[in-house]
Amino acid sequence: METADEDLAQAAAKGDREAFAALLSRHYDRIFGLAFRLTGDRAEAEDLAQDICASLPAKLASFGGRARVTTWLYRVTVNAAHDRRRRQAARTRAADGWGDWEIARRAEAEEAAKAQDWLIGAMRALTPELRDTVALTLGEEMSQAEAAEVLGVSEGTVAWRMSEVKKRLRAMARAEGMP
């Protein structure tokens, strides 16, 4: 006489490997068949069925015998398929969001590189005195007084030079059609 599914499930829940193997042997095709119908893809169904089989020892502890083992296995399979779909949807949303973020990051980096290249070219067009003043005040973040001391000129001269730099850079940008 064949051992009842419920008896096998209870023995497997207590760690009986032979009972677990017998239960899987008896119901694997049922688990796989439902997984295939739920996913519509053979490889996906195989993965899902394997995941279910790997998690069954822990899940068997929750089998209380209130339903037939086959009914319980169907519920486990449906829940596993739903969980898998939710995880895939979350991964897809995350990947899509990441892709959008990466595209925006690259565009921003490209714009910054263009702006920096333009600024370097524009700086080369300035006189050495103006370049030195910009390098100290903006590049080294010195105050106008500190830059004046380093350059050996008055603070007013540094202020005039910075005003002149801004005026020339704006003119260069307009000439090149930049906003």
Side-chain angles (χ1 to χ4, degrees):
M1 186 163 129
E2 193 173 82
T3 307
D5 286 343
E6 287 72 19
D7 295 336
L8 287 175
Q10 288 176 355
K14 294 177 183 171
D16 186 334
R17 292 174 186 250
E18 289 178 21
F20 182 72
L23 198 61
L24 271 187
S25 174
R26 205 176 280 178
H27 296 288
Y28 181 82
D29 290 341
R30 182 173 281 126
I31 293 168
F32 173 77
L34 179 56
F36 182 71
R37 285 186 290 285
L38 292 170
T39 63
D41 180 80
R42 182 173 186 77
E44 184 78 14
E46 287 172 354
D47 288 347
L48 183 58
Q50 286 178 6
D51 290 348
I52 291 166
C53 291
S55 69
L56 270 182
K59 290 186 184 300
L60 278 168
S62 70
F63 175 70
R66 291 178 297 279
R68 292 188 348 222
V69 169
T70 53
T71 303
W72 180 78
L73 284 172
Y74 283 139
R75 175 60 28 216
V76 167
T77 303
V78 168
N79 287 342
H82 289 176
D83 290 346
R84 191 178 193 93
R85 272 190 231 119
R86 279 192 293 273
R87 281 191 306 272
Q88 287 174 337
R91 270 190 241 117
T92 299
R93 282 191 307 276
D96 288 347
W98 180 260
D100 293 344
W101 177 84
E102 180 63 15
I103 289 168
R105 186 195 66 77
R106 287 184 184 179
E108 190 176 296
E110 187 176 324
E111 284 297 316
K114 284 180 184 177
Q116 186 173 6
D117 289 346
W118 181 86
L119 188 56
I120 289 170
M123 293 295 290
R124 287 187 186 127
L126 297 175
T127 64
E129 293 82 15
L130 294 177
R131 267 197 318 265
D132 294 347
T133 305
V134 170
L136 293 173
T137 56
L138 298 180
E140 297 301 316
E141 298 179 358
M142 288 185 178
S143 67
Q144 289 184 358
E146 292 169 327
E149 187 177 329
V150 170
L151 294 171
V153 296
S154 72
E155 197 173 328
T157 300
V158 170
W160 175 85
R161 286 180 181 177
M162 288 305 296
S163 174
E164 188 64 21
V165 165
K166 290 174 190 174
K167 185 171 75 174
R168 289 185 188 189
L169 291 180
R170 274 192 227 108
M172 285 181 214
R174 274 193 303 277
E176 293 179 23
M178 296 176 71

